[in-house]
Amino acid sequence: MTDARLGVTVTHRRYVPYSHAHYAGNLVDGAYALGLFGDVATEVCIHTDGDEGLFAGYADVRFHAPIHAGDVVQVTARVTRVGTRSRTLELECAVVCRGRPDRSASAAEVLDPPIVAVTATGTVVVPAASVSREE
């Protein structure tokens, strides 16, 4: 029997404010994406278990491309494994819009296809009280 929580997917989009630029060229530090992964993982836990859950750890974090202030990022989490109290998530942060200061101070464009900036595998845990008796 397949667990209905497998494949549950949650997506958030967020504008990256210039106040988060950390390096020259308006680059944002890699931890910014990890924070967004925590937000989307929380919503996954709410959908699957009725609890915010806790992020237990990351595996295989990969930084593929930079994130800049002024970008719009799309962060997605998909449940790939369901344990008794743990859930494994496939995580992706992609840049879907990017500022174009070479055109004008406020110019931007939609990226088609989006640029995958960060990927990871994450594990979340939920309290025993919120775990279904069917497990």
Side-chain angles (χ1 to χ4, degrees):
M1 182 179 241
T2 303
D3 192 305
R5 295 170 290 189
L6 278 174
V8 168
T9 302
V10 172
T11 300
H12 292 182
R13 281 195 175 188
R14 176 128 355 126
Y15 174 78
V16 181
Y18 280 85
S19 62
H20 288 289
H22 193 71
Y23 299 104
N26 289 319
L27 288 176
V28 176
D29 62 37
Y32 184 80
L34 298 183
L36 298 177
F37 287 162
D39 292 343
V40 75
T42 296
E43 186 177 345
V44 165
C45 290
I46 292 168
H47 283 279
T48 58
D49 295 280
D51 189 277
E52 290 184 350
L54 297 170
F55 217 113
Y58 290 102
D60 198 31
V61 176
R62 304 279 176 150
F63 299 97
H64 303 280
I67 298 172
H68 297 271
D71 286 349
V72 175
V73 293
Q74 177 174 288
V75 182
T76 303
R78 184 173 59 86
V79 178
T80 58
R81 189 188 70 75
V82 176
T84 302
R85 290 186 51 224
S86 66
R87 317 287 175 249
T88 302
L89 307 177
E90 182 178 287
L91 302 154
E92 179 182 276
C93 178
V95 179
V96 296
C97 299
R98 177 152 278 167
R100 291 294 309 267
D102 57 314
R103 292 187 186 160
S104 75
S106 60
E109 66 184 357
V110 174
L111 301 179
D112 186 20
I115 299 169
V116 175
V118 185
T119 57
T121 301
T123 301
V124 293
V125 293
V126 295
S130 65
V131 175
S132 164
R133 291 176 197 224
E134 296 175 40
E135 287 187 84

